[in-house]
Amino acid sequence: MKVKLVSVIMSSLLTTGILAGCGASGSDTEQPAVSAAPQTSAKASEAPKGKVTLQFWHSLSGKTGEYMQAMIDRFNSSHPNIQVVGTFQGGYDETATKLQQSFAANTAPDVTMLERAYVQQFADADVLADLTSFLKNSSMSKDDFIPGLMGHSVFNNKLVSLPLNRSTPIFFLNKDLLDEKGLSVPTTWDELKKVANALVVKENGETKRYGLTMVHDSWYPIAFIAQAGGTFFNDKSTSLGFIDNGIGLKVFSFLKDMQSTGALYYPPSQNSGTVANQMFQDGKAGMLFQSTGQIGAMANSKFKVVTAFMPKDKVNAEPTGGGNIVMTESSKQKDAAWEFIKWVETDPQGGQQLIVDTGYLPMTKKMAQSQQILDLWAKEPNRKVAYDQLQYAVDTNKSVVWPEVMKEFHAAMQAIMYDSKDIKTTLDGFTKETERLLTSK
């Protein structure tokens, strides 16, 4: 186990440093903004005598971090014998790196948020607690949770994580602009291209308004790959599942074709999420691919914003993102740790309130059927669209070497979208490097 863990630590330390400058998130999920918040909460003091103290690490900062701390405070107020100390550890990548270091130093927290694509690495290193018996003893089962959010929860026949702050990519549209042009919300790639081109405005050879913009992130090409009927890895996880069948060429040719006409504005890699959001909010792009986590921010737009499913090619398909919650195997307070996790997943004052506050997705079926969530959806139907997409959730990028493959995929995306390198040649090179990484795991 120690050999595997050291290998994981070293590869992730190298990969994370490179990914930090690759785009809005450096991963296939939206990354919480890293603020100047201190690394430890003001509440990170010793618990009163007689209380069990739990260390909980998370990756939420800014306003979202305030909502997380409010949830922790609610738990502490209602559980006099347990005090949870919440600590912001940076973005998803940084938290994963610190967690790996903490296991090596025997200083790991009891509970932590972990971006779902990282879960397999830690599960393979045998450092995550199996939650199966805890779930059973609480009269709960895996069937209580939303199936589309459980793709990164079970490894090696162990239930090692549960959904926490989860999201999917979603389609934002300027409905006022579409109505002005007499255009309908596109539901297919062909319709998307036609509508995007119809929204383009050019003056004196300069594009004043683009049809569509999107974040520079692997999340969105992965969505396109799945919509075209492909998978990221093949069935045996020995190579990619979208190269030999021509799907990769099809996806990037589609994007480059729209980019060439102004139908797509592909933002700079640095701060691409902020740039894309501003383009949409300023009316300089009529449509936007972004995370469900941005629904709340879009509510303050000067025009009517509607959300829709990502347009399909052959099928509807939605990759998922965001963080899961895990208990560490090294925790000396597992019963208390489970009490916290269970409360987060099941109590209306736990994760349910966090979801109402932030815009993330309900984790359990009961939560999705609660009156509070139903009332929220009635008031803000855009949020319901995000949940409805989960019926088409896919997770085909699971691998212990995913962070390393992701770095290579970002390099290929940049070569194609920014440098206009030959698509087939670029993807062939990416395939060779991916196969090398997969065979070395």
Side-chain angles (χ1 to χ4, degrees):
M1 185 271 285
K2 290 184 178 180
V3 173
K4 286 196 290 185
L5 184 55
V6 169
S7 176
V8 168
I9 291 171
M10 292 306 296
S11 65
S12 183
L13 285 173
L14 292 171
T15 303
T16 302
I18 296 171
L19 291 177
C22 288
S25 71
S27 74
D28 60 318
T29 66
E30 104 272 11
Q31 188 83 316
V34 178
S35 70
Q39 288 296 300
T40 56
S41 166
K43 295 182 177 292
S45 57
E46 291 187 7
K49 291 182 179 180
K51 280 193 175 184
V52 172
T53 301
L54 296 178
Q55 298 297 329
F56 170 53
W57 289 4
H58 64 83
S59 306
L60 302 183
S61 63
K63 193 65 177 178
T64 309
E66 292 176 16
Y67 291 136
M68 171 60 78
Q69 185 58 51
M71 184 189 77
I72 295 169
D73 291 343
R74 291 193 298 272
F75 176 84
N76 289 338
S77 296
S78 60
H79 293 75
N81 296 322
I82 305 173
Q83 177 172 313
V84 174
V85 178
T87 309
F88 169 68
Q89 294 290 351
Y92 290 138
D93 296 337
E94 189 177 0
T95 298
T97 299
K98 288 181 177 180
L99 187 63
Q100 289 159 343
Q101 293 169 330
S102 75
F103 281 122
N106 295 316
T107 58
D110 302 281
V111 181
T112 185
M113 175 189 292
L114 189 59
E115 202 283 325
R116 95 278 178 268
Y118 280 107
V119 173
Q120 187 171 357
Q121 283 188 333
F122 290 91
D124 191 62
D126 298 323
V127 293
L128 303 182
D130 186 354
L131 303 178
T132 304
S133 62
F134 292 99
L135 206 66
K136 183 178 180 180
N137 292 337
S138 299
S139 299
M140 297 172 64
S141 76
K142 288 183 290 185
D143 293 337
D144 293 334
F145 297 87
I146 306 298
L149 299 179
M150 293 293 284
H152 291 262
S153 290
V154 178
F155 294 98
N156 305 317
N157 297 315
K158 296 179 181 179
L159 177 69
V160 295
S161 75
L162 292 172
L164 183 56
N165 56 310
R166 296 298 297 276
S167 57
T168 64
I170 198 169
F171 195 18
F172 291 91
L173 303 102
N174 182 331
K175 189 64 165 56
D176 291 349
L177 191 56
L178 263 62
D179 289 346
E180 177 187 317
K181 293 287 186 178
L183 299 168
S184 300
V185 174
T187 61
T188 67
W189 286 12
D190 288 341
E191 292 174 1
L192 175 64
K193 182 180 287 187
K194 290 176 182 177
V195 171
N197 276 295
L199 292 174
V200 173
V201 173
K202 294 186 177 182
E203 295 179 5
N204 300 320
E206 182 181 354
T207 303
K208 296 293 185 178
R209 185 176 71 209
Y210 295 83
L212 168 74
T213 188
M214 60 192 290
V215 182
H216 169 67
D217 196 294
S218 57
W219 218 15
Y220 304 94
I222 288 173
F224 278 99
I225 289 165
Q227 290 155 7
T231 59
F232 195 86
F233 294 122
N234 63 16
D235 292 340
K236 297 181 179 179
S237 293
T238 56
S239 186
L240 298 168
F242 64 96
I243 302 299
D244 291 343
N245 51 21
I247 288 175
L249 179 61
K250 178 180 182 179
V251 165
F252 283 103
S253 295
F254 177 78
L255 294 175
K256 290 298 291 184
D257 183 51
M258 288 208 299
Q259 186 182 36
S260 69
T261 64
L264 170 65
Y265 176 77
Y266 201 77
S269 60
Q270 202 69 18
N271 298 317
S272 69
T274 300
V275 173
N277 286 356
Q278 199 63 53
M279 289 283 291
F280 181 69
Q281 294 277 30
D282 290 344
K284 295 180 180 179
M287 301 178 290
L288 168 71
F289 289 150
Q290 244 291 13
S291 165
T292 56
Q294 295 295 315
I295 290 176
M298 296 299 173
N300 298 319
S301 300
K302 297 177 182 179
F303 48 84
K304 182 178 180 180
V305 176
V306 296
T307 60
F309 286 14
M310 296 277 285
K312 68 177 182 179
D313 180 39
K314 292 183 178 180
V315 296
N316 288 108
E318 287 292 327
T320 67
N324 279 8
I325 191 167
V326 304
M327 180 196 303
T328 61
E329 182 60 43
S330 58
S331 173
K332 301 292 192 296
Q333 309 287 350
K334 286 189 174 64
D335 287 340
W338 171 249
E339 184 63 28
F340 175 59
I341 293 173
K342 182 180 70 172
W343 181 86
V344 168
E345 300 287 337
T346 63
D347 195 286
Q349 290 299 305
Q352 181 172 309
Q353 185 59 48
L354 181 69
I355 284 163
V356 171
D357 291 337
T358 61
Y360 287 114
L361 293 163
M363 298 96 80
T364 68
K365 297 173 184 176
K366 184 176 180 180
M367 191 180 293
Q369 296 163 0
S370 68
Q371 195 60 51
Q372 184 182 28
I373 297 297
L374 294 176
D375 289 345
L376 177 67
W377 285 344
K379 181 181 178 181
E380 301 180 41
N382 283 343
R383 294 203 191 197
K384 178 65 160 52
V385 175
Y387 173 77
D388 289 342
Q389 284 190 135
L390 288 175
Q391 65 186 298
Y392 302 116
V394 295
D395 287 295
T396 65
N397 59 325
K398 289 187 286 189
S399 170
V400 293
V401 296
W402 169 245
E404 296 164 88
V405 173
M406 179 174 59
K407 185 198 78 162
E408 299 299 329
F409 191 40
H410 269 271
M413 289 165 52
Q414 289 175 323
I416 294 168
M417 298 306 300
Y418 296 130
D419 301 330
S420 296
K421 298 294 185 181
D422 181 74
I423 297 172
K424 188 177 184 306
T425 301
T426 301
L427 293 179
D428 285 346
F430 170 55
T431 300
K432 291 179 181 178
E433 185 59 22
T434 297
E435 290 175 348
R436 184 190 68 79
L437 291 168
L438 290 172
T439 56
S440 66
K441 68 179 180 179

